[in-house]
Amino acid sequence: WQDRIAQLKEFKSQHGHVQVPCKYRDLYCWVSLMRRYRRMQSKRLPLERIQQLDELGFVWKRATAASLRSNQS
């Protein structure tokens, strides 16, 4: 968990957001898994971890290409 959070923080510091594209395969897969856990209300993602992701500006719904383009305008 701590390693992935550190990677996500580094990504955010470089890109200004946490919308990880699929070219960052390992981190992208982890972010997708966190979204899935939250959707399923899995015990694998306790409230304190959800809060930690929220503090980073985590986006719980995957962005579409169109929404990403409109945010860049």
Side-chain angles (χ1 to χ4, degrees):
W1 173 260
Q2 293 303 325
D3 289 343
R4 290 292 188 211
I5 287 292
Q7 289 173 354
L8 192 58
K9 286 179 180 179
E10 178 64 24
F11 180 89
K12 184 176 182 177
S13 73
Q14 291 176 3
H15 302 280
H17 60 82
V18 292
Q19 291 278 9
V20 181
C22 59
K23 72 179 185 177
Y24 297 91
R25 185 167 178 81
D26 290 342
L27 189 56
Y28 175 82
C29 289
W30 181 79
V31 164
S32 296
L33 185 61
M34 295 304 103
R35 288 185 181 125
R36 189 173 319 124
Y37 284 165
R38 174 105 188 250
R39 246 189 344 268
M40 296 169 38
Q41 298 179 347
S42 172
K43 292 182 179 174
R44 294 181 182 180
L45 189 60
L47 182 59
E48 60 270 6
R49 289 186 173 184
I50 291 171
Q51 291 170 338
Q52 196 172 2
L53 290 168
D54 284 342
E55 289 170 6
L56 288 174
F58 195 85
V59 178
W60 292 103
K61 291 190 177 190
R62 187 176 62 88
T64 62
S67 68
L68 287 175
R69 282 193 300 273
S70 68
N71 287 339
Q72 293 174 351
S73 304

